[in-house]
Amino acid sequence: MATTLNDDTATSTSTMDSAPTICDALQYGPLRPPVQSQKNEFTAQDLSQLPLFMSSLDDVPEGTNDAIEALKALAYEGEPHEIAENFRQQGNESYRSKYWRDAIEFYTKALAIGCNVDEINGACYSNRAACNLELRNYRKTNLDCAEALRLNPRNIKALYRSARACLALDKISEAEDCVQRGLAIDKSNSSFKAIDEKISSRKSVLARLQQTSQERERLSKMKEAALKRALEARHVIQRITSARHLDLSEDATVQLQDPLDPQSDLCFPVVVLYPLHLQSDFIKSLSENETIGSQLEGILSPSNLPEWDKESEYAYPGVDVLVEKKKYDMHGRPSLSKIGPKTSLRKVLTEGKLELIDGILTVLVVPKPRLAEFVKSWKEDNPN
């Protein structure tokens, strides 16, 4: 059997020249396709460098791809109006595909060319306004519409888009002006008629809101006046500080039971201080016809004393209640006054024994056996 030599390998001509047979398959196993020595593989990164697969020519760093640089240069070849028109058309394509931001970029490039064709520039401003309107950039919408109308006061699309933007911003008079100007150009324009109805509806809503706000403000002033008269009638002195010293809710302040009737009962928030133990309680609302004792009876019940009272010193009625008087003693110091357990809050106020600070009353509670100790300490803290 003849053989052919190829380099250092001798191979049977019958094996090399004839097609594989069924016997060969039985003898040598399943046939396999020849193995390629090289593979042509493209990664996603490789494909992204090809113009066909690019989302934008600007995605490629400058100077890294000669073909791309050539394509970029082509975009700026021609007369300024031709280049601007090309960018405008690309912007229109993006707009039709609802790629608003891409469209804005193309219109901006068109305007940056600085061509002297008002029709092209006006269309770019108006169309960029449409994109900003879709993106709810209402201020930018109005700015672009203003430029479009400067170039062409009869640009009906710019007027319509400006009307919509003004309506979204509740600039009712400006929106109405745009509609009137648009209908003066095309009195049968259905889009302007539709937006005019929306403007009228929103105008009514805003009018009702304004009326409600004015009524609320009027009522608030009436309440303030009634409260002022009530406090003056009871000879209550108030002192307002720059900031409330306690983190209390907004309704924790002196109020009338009937906010519009100065003769109705006053209710006060009361801070109860236990100075010997640096503790406190808060009574949100105490009527002027009630007594401090009626509240302390529940707060300091012998069966429900606070945890910090380890010695059970504050069991009611074994406590004294004091207030710092607004009047000063002969040495110019504020003085302490004891409140009887059956003394109503109204009597305390009208006797001029204390003042209302930020609409809140403050009382001091100490155990009876330790009253002298507290008074001595208080005087040391309030020297001549």
Side-chain angles (χ1 to χ4, degrees):
M1 181 174 61
T3 60
T4 301
L5 297 177
N6 182 11
D7 294 332
D8 296 331
T9 305
T11 308
S12 170
T13 56
S14 63
T15 303
M16 296 294 295
D17 298 334
S18 61
T21 65
I22 295 176
C23 294
D24 294 332
L26 293 173
Q27 181 178 358
Y28 299 107
L31 299 178
R32 296 179 175 83
V35 179
Q36 294 182 354
S37 59
Q38 295 182 349
K39 294 182 179 179
N40 294 324
E41 297 180 350
F42 285 95
T43 64
Q45 184 177 4
D46 296 328
L47 291 174
S48 68
Q49 302 302 310
L50 298 177
L52 181 61
F53 296 97
M54 288 181 180
S55 59
S56 172
L57 295 180
D58 295 331
D59 292 341
V60 180
E62 187 174 352
T64 60
N65 190 316
D66 292 339
I68 300 305
E69 294 301 321
L71 290 174
K72 287 183 179 180
L74 285 175
Y76 288 90
E77 285 190 357
E79 296 297 322
H81 70 277
E82 295 174 333
I83 301 171
E85 176 62 18
N86 178 50
F87 281 128
R88 185 178 77 87
Q89 292 298 336
Q90 293 183 71
N92 291 348
E93 288 295 328
S94 296
Y95 180 86
R96 282 191 285 269
S97 300
K98 298 184 178 182
Y99 298 145
W100 316 121
R101 289 183 172 80
D102 291 343
I104 287 174
E105 183 176 349
F106 283 123
Y107 294 135
T108 301
K109 287 182 177 180
L111 292 168
I113 298 300
C115 77
N116 295 322
V117 181
D118 288 348
E119 183 180 355
I120 295 176
N121 292 334
C124 287
Y125 278 122
S126 179
N127 292 348
R128 191 169 70 176
C131 296
N132 279 313
L133 188 61
E134 294 291 344
L135 295 171
R136 300 183 181 183
N137 297 328
Y138 300 123
R139 181 176 177 276
K140 290 182 178 180
T141 299
N142 277 330
L143 290 174
D144 280 340
C145 287
E147 289 298 323
L149 291 168
R150 181 180 61 81
L151 296 173
N152 178 14
R154 295 179 63 82
N155 189 326
I156 201 164
K157 290 184 178 179
L159 285 169
Y160 174 73
R161 289 159 186 165
S162 183
R164 286 184 57 190
C166 288
L167 175 59
L169 296 172
D170 280 339
K171 295 183 176 181
I172 300 302
S173 59
E174 290 89 337
E176 288 178 326
D177 179 65
C178 290
V179 169
Q180 291 171 4
R181 291 168 61 185
L183 289 174
I185 298 170
D186 182 3
K187 63 181 180 180
S188 62
N189 190 295
S190 59
S191 295
F192 276 107
K193 291 180 179 179
I195 194 68
D196 190 37
E197 291 180 1
K198 291 181 179 180
I199 292 171
S200 297
S201 176
R202 182 58 180 168
K203 187 176 182 180
S204 298
V205 171
L206 292 176
R208 288 196 298 271
L209 290 174
Q210 184 178 15
Q211 183 178 2
T212 301
S213 177
Q214 291 174 345
E215 179 62 22
R216 188 183 300 113
E217 184 178 357
R218 185 183 70 84
L219 188 60
S220 177
K221 289 182 178 179
M222 291 176 62
K223 290 179 180 179
E224 289 179 6
L227 179 60
K228 182 179 179 180
R229 290 197 299 271
L231 292 172
E232 289 175 349
R234 293 160 176 80
H235 307 290
V236 176
I237 294 178
Q238 287 200 94
R239 178 156 58 93
I240 306 299
T241 62
S242 58
R244 297 180 70 149
H245 60 286
L246 292 176
D247 185 15
L248 304 175
S249 60
E250 289 297 323
D251 60 343
T253 185
V254 59
Q255 300 179 46
L256 285 164
Q257 285 188 343
D258 180 349
L260 299 178
D261 182 9
Q263 302 300 321
S264 64
D265 289 349
L266 277 170
C267 297
F268 300 87
V270 180
V271 173
V272 181
L273 298 180
Y274 309 99
L276 293 177
H277 284 77
L278 301 179
Q279 299 291 334
S280 66
D281 276 316
F282 178 64
I283 304 170
K284 185 176 180 180
S285 181
L286 181 64
S287 169
E288 62 180 335
N289 292 318
E290 294 181 89
T291 65
I292 295 292
S294 66
Q295 296 293 316
L296 294 181
E297 190 174 5
I299 296 174
L300 301 177
S301 169
S303 61
N304 189 34
L305 288 173
E307 294 182 359
W308 50 264
D309 185 13
K310 304 298 182 183
E311 305 296 329
S312 299
E313 297 180 278
Y314 288 85
Y316 192 83
V319 293
D320 283 322
V321 180
L322 304 99
V323 293
E324 290 188 5
K325 294 168 57 176
K326 63 188 179 186
K327 295 181 179 179
Y328 294 86
D329 63 13
M330 59 182 300
H331 302 293
R333 299 176 302 188
S335 57
L336 292 172
S337 179
K338 188 188 299 185
I339 300 177
K342 296 183 179 181
T343 304
S344 68
L345 188 58
R346 180 167 187 166
K347 184 176 182 181
V348 176
L349 291 169
T350 54
E351 286 180 352
K353 290 186 176 180
L354 71 157
E355 61 184 343
L356 214 58
I357 301 176
D358 294 330
I360 300 173
L361 291 177
T362 301
V363 298
L364 309 171
V365 176
V366 296
K368 288 182 179 293
R370 302 183 63 180
L371 177 60
E373 172 192 345
F374 168 71
V375 171
K376 179 181 179 182
S377 174
W378 182 86
K379 288 183 177 179
E380 290 174 353
D381 292 335
N382 295 272
N384 293 346

